[in-house]
């Protein structure tokens, strides 16, 4: 099962295309670099888990494995 590659930051709702620098936790909560910089201990504010840089899906694989179009925004 591939990562969802969610299309936006859950806090500020900025667009995060598949090639963008984004951070995820084990539950795939997705955050932009600027928001992660404000999180105490750089921990996920939803679950408290560590955040890692989201891997970049090769362009050649996007057609067969498209990113999610479902926006998650908690404000």
């Amino acid at each position: 099962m591939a990562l969802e590659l969610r299309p936006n930051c859950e806090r500020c709702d900025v667009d995060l295309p598949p090639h963008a620098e984004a951070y995820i936790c084990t539950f795939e909560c997705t955050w932009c670099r600027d928001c992660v910089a404000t999180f105490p201990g750089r921990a996920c504010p939803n679950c408290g888990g560590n955040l890692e840089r989201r891997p970049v899906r090769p362009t050649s694989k996007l057609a067969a494995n498209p990113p999610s179009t479902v926006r998650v925004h908690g404000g």
Side-chain angles (χ1 to χ4, degrees):
M1 178 189 267
L3 292 173
E4 286 184 30
L5 296 182
R6 294 179 182 167
N8 65 303
C9 174
E10 292 186 33
R11 175 178 266 179
C12 71
D13 202 32
V14 68
D15 289 339
L16 294 170
H19 62 276
E21 181 177 344
Y23 293 83
I24 59 173
C25 71
T26 190
F27 295 104
E28 294 189 59
C29 300
T30 303
W31 314 98
C32 72
R33 174 186 55 200
D34 293 341
C35 287
V36 167
T38 69
F39 299 159
R42 293 178 58 96
C44 178
N46 292 339
C47 70
N50 66 308
L51 295 169
E52 298 291 334
R53 178 123 185 230
R54 180 177 74 182
V56 173
R57 185 164 298 155
T59 303
S60 63
K61 304 293 183 190
L62 286 172
N65 301 283
S68 175
T69 58
V70 177
R71 296 181 80 83
V72 177
H73 186 232

